[in-house]
Amino acid sequence: MTAMQFIERFWQDIAAWALLIDIIVTGLTLVWVLHLKRETMSAIAWSLTVILVPFLGAFLFFLFGYQWVARPLRRKQQRRRLFRQICAWSSEASVPVPRRWQMLARLAEHAEGFPVTAGNAVEFYHEGKPLYAALLEAIGAARHHVHIEFFIFRSDACGEQFIEALSAAARRGVIVRFLYDSIGAHDLSRRLLRHVRRAGGRHAPFLPVLNPLYRLRVNLRNHRKIVVVDGRVAFTGGFNIGQEYLGLDRRYGFWRDTHMRLEGPVVAGLQRLFLEDWHFATGEAVKGEEYYPKWSEPQGEVLAQVVASGPDGEYKAIRETYFAAIVQARRRVWLASPYFVPDSGLRDALCLAARSGVDVRFLTLFRPDKWLPFLAARFYWSDLLDAGGKIYQYIPGMLHSKYLLVDGQWASVGTANFDNRSLFLNFEVNCQFFDTAVTQKLEEQFLSDLAQAVRVDREVFAQRPWMSRIFENGARLFSPVL
């Protein structure tokens, strides 16, 4: 009997069993959705998807909706606590910050966060070429260890250059640990990884997607970019490793981003964060005073604090500091991000600030690299424009910077975009600065970028074609995972 004949003979039985299985799968998935999703709109959206799209809806929730309670993330929480006990990292109290910003410092430190540190120096990079030169110089000067973690790491000429630098460091006796996201760096060649390993370095993927223990968790990614050299110099921000970040990819054109080089006690926070991720990925608990050197004198005058968040905890420190900073604004809120898909609370905070007379400006990209989040963002632009906010689109190329500036006195810079994916799903890291000089430097760059941007006219935007509105409405339905 052929397959077709079997189906023709037993199609009624097959249909009945399929219906029964679908009812069972749908019922169990709905219970799962209601148990996990605390936000009402997210619960409704997933419930409708599961009900209206048989089998596929349940699979999509399994793939994209099951976020925080996955076993590997619970295990990461447990390992994080164990790791901190093993390493006995300094838990000194935060240094005083201006009274107005004390709440932001407490929010960032809440739930095993990092303290505010004094005596730091920071240098910003807005283009790939000078940043890559600084990174390679730091790796070349390493004496004890190089810790490097990126979301995207290409196998192109840039990737090969960094692999050679890491391998050279390993050959001269430097401890090299290289961590990469298994989705973001999916095209990282085994040849380059072997080159690092044969030189004596170590490498590991974060949440390998094909590992059955991780249940195809494609939705939970490590979006952090951290480089720590000898525990004394650290880099973090928006740049990854690849030709496009030098402006050499025609799809993106000129690449505008924000990265930073840090020296001082704040480096210990980024060091600890990297080693926590490394511990989770490899099981190796790295400890020793050489990873947390003492500073005999200040490296600068900047008050800085590491702010980290991820799906391994319910408390989202970056999101909370963003919200509190916007609510506290009295004069201006300047935001740069390629993606703008915030939750309702952050949208309300921005609109409230704009309605109360605060100068709210949002700088984003003009030519999208990803259409779905771009269309979803346009759906929410109307709310901000109607409230009196200003939206600008950067013309020269790809705007990839991620920072929030408030009243010329406070800044948060790092890897987190202003969207649900960064604030709820990804592992991210920012640094917040309680420093007027640092904030003013970023404001100067922001104004320079505005001079090369086009402002979105509220009336013109309101008259956009109905077809565009339909696509925007459709795209915003995916907001929980964008």
Side-chain angles (χ1 to χ4, degrees):
M1 182 183 298
T2 65
M4 184 61 66
Q5 290 173 331
F6 179 84
I7 293 174
E8 290 177 352
R9 182 175 179 181
F10 297 104
W11 70 268
Q12 291 179 324
D13 294 330
I14 294 173
W17 277 107
L19 178 61
L20 178 61
I21 294 173
D22 178 54
I23 292 173
I24 294 173
V25 170
T26 299
L28 292 175
T29 307
L30 286 175
V31 172
W32 201 8
V33 169
L34 296 176
H35 175 67
L36 295 181
K37 296 300 176 182
R38 295 188 175 186
E39 188 177 344
T40 302
M41 292 305 298
S42 179
I44 292 173
W46 277 115
S47 296
L48 289 175
T49 301
V50 171
I51 293 171
L52 298 177
V53 187
F55 294 109
L56 180 59
F59 177 74
L60 289 174
F61 179 74
F62 177 84
L63 199 62
F64 296 109
Y66 182 32
Q67 299 159 7
W68 181 73
V69 295
R71 288 183 182 178
L73 300 184
R74 288 204 302 267
R75 189 162 60 250
K76 188 176 190 303
Q77 281 186 316
Q78 296 166 358
R79 289 185 177 181
R80 180 177 61 191
R81 298 188 186 101
L82 175 63
F83 177 81
R84 294 179 185 183
Q85 293 173 0
I86 292 173
C87 294
W89 183 76
S90 174
S91 57
E92 299 175 359
S94 293
V95 300
V97 300
R99 177 176 295 181
R100 181 183 173 189
W101 307 110
Q102 287 177 358
M103 181 174 67
L104 294 180
R106 289 195 298 269
L107 288 172
E109 196 171 357
H110 180 68
E112 301 180 318
F114 301 87
V116 178
T117 61
N120 300 291
V122 58
E123 181 178 358
F124 290 104
Y125 301 88
H126 302 291
E127 296 184 27
K129 188 174 181 179
L131 170 66
Y132 283 5
L135 284 170
L136 292 169
E137 180 182 3
I139 294 171
R143 296 182 177 181
H144 182 264
H145 65 269
V146 174
H147 293 157
I148 180 168
E149 173 178 0
F150 280 97
F151 174 62
I152 293 174
F153 199 104
R154 304 291 188 200
S155 295
D156 56 19
C158 286
E160 291 183 351
Q161 187 178 21
F162 275 90
I163 290 295
E164 180 53 43
L166 293 173
S167 301
R171 284 193 293 269
R172 65 175 186 268
V174 174
I175 300 170
V176 173
R177 296 183 176 93
F178 173 30
L179 186 64
Y180 54 93
D181 185 80
S182 63
I183 292 293
H186 67 278
D187 59 349
L188 181 58
S189 74
R190 295 182 180 179
R191 175 182 61 84
L192 294 181
L193 294 175
R194 282 197 303 270
H195 196 55
V196 173
R197 190 167 60 251
R198 289 172 178 172
R202 293 192 61 189
H203 61 81
F206 192 91
L207 281 177
V209 68
L210 296 180
N211 188 328
L213 295 177
Y214 298 107
R215 300 181 181 181
L216 293 175
R217 284 298 161 259
V218 299
N219 208 34
L220 308 177
R221 305 321 317 162
N222 192 328
H223 197 240
R224 294 167 180 161
K225 299 93 176 170
I226 299 174
V227 176
V228 181
V229 176
D230 293 339
R232 293 192 168 273
V233 177
F235 297 81
T236 191
F239 279 98
N240 289 290
I241 302 299
Q243 293 280 73
E244 64 263 40
Y245 301 97
L246 295 175
L248 301 179
D249 192 317
R250 292 183 179 180
R251 292 176 297 171
Y252 306 108
F254 176 74
W255 194 282
R256 165 72 174 83
D257 217 321
T258 301
H259 219 87
M260 50 194 159
R261 180 185 189 274
L262 298 157
E263 288 186 89
V266 71
V267 173
L270 292 170
Q271 178 80 292
R272 192 185 85 184
L273 201 58
F274 172 88
L275 290 178
E276 287 176 6
D277 289 346
W278 181 261
H279 183 213
F280 171 68
T282 67
E284 179 189 10
V286 180
K287 56 183 178 179
E289 294 182 359
E290 60 270 24
Y291 293 101
Y292 300 101
K294 300 296 183 182
W295 296 90
S296 58
E297 59 184 28
Q299 301 301 300
E301 301 178 350
V302 177
L303 292 178
Q305 184 178 23
V306 172
V307 190
S309 64
D312 56 337
E314 288 192 71
Y315 181 71
K316 310 300 182 184
I318 296 177
R319 189 266 180 200
E320 299 306 312
T321 54
Y322 278 178
F323 179 85
I326 294 168
V327 171
Q328 287 192 48
R330 298 294 177 266
R331 289 180 293 152
R332 55 185 178 269
V333 173
W334 292 355
L335 167 67
S337 176
Y339 314 117
F340 183 80
V341 191
D343 61 53
S344 58
L346 286 174
R347 293 197 303 272
D348 289 345
L350 283 174
C351 292
L352 178 64
R355 291 191 187 99
S356 63
V358 174
D359 179 16
V360 177
R361 304 187 191 186
F362 168 49
L363 176 64
T364 190
L365 42 75
F366 182 80
R367 290 186 293 272
D369 61 327
K370 299 178 180 68
W371 277 102
L372 192 60
F374 180 74
L375 290 171
R378 283 170 60 90
F379 177 85
Y380 298 114
W381 285 4
S382 297
D383 295 338
L384 185 57
L385 291 171
D386 291 342
K390 306 178 186 71
I391 299 175
Y392 299 84
Q393 293 181 271
Y394 186 69
I395 299 296
M398 180 66 185
L399 188 283
H400 198 247
S401 295
K402 310 125 182 343
Y403 58 77
L404 179 66
L405 314 175
V406 176
D407 289 350
Q409 300 175 11
W410 177 90
S412 181
V413 191
T415 70
N417 295 302
F418 207 77
D419 61 11
N420 289 315
R421 170 158 293 281
S422 279
L423 301 179
F424 292 96
L425 300 179
N426 286 343
F427 294 90
E428 304 280 2
V429 58
N430 277 19
C431 287
Q432 60 176 356
F433 299 99
F434 309 88
D435 188 277
T436 301
V438 168
T439 307
Q440 287 180 348
K441 285 182 181 179
L442 291 167
E443 285 188 337
E444 290 173 2
Q445 183 62 51
F446 186 86
L447 292 173
S448 175
D449 292 334
L450 287 191
Q452 304 178 73
V454 59
R455 181 176 172 182
V456 177
D457 185 274
R458 174 173 171 264
E459 294 183 359
V460 173
F461 185 71
Q463 298 174 8
R464 64 194 185 282
W466 64 271
M467 186 60 71
S468 176
R469 295 170 184 265
I470 291 176
F471 283 123
E472 291 163 13
N473 268 279
R476 61 103 176 195
L477 297 178
F478 296 89
S479 292
V481 295
L482 296 179

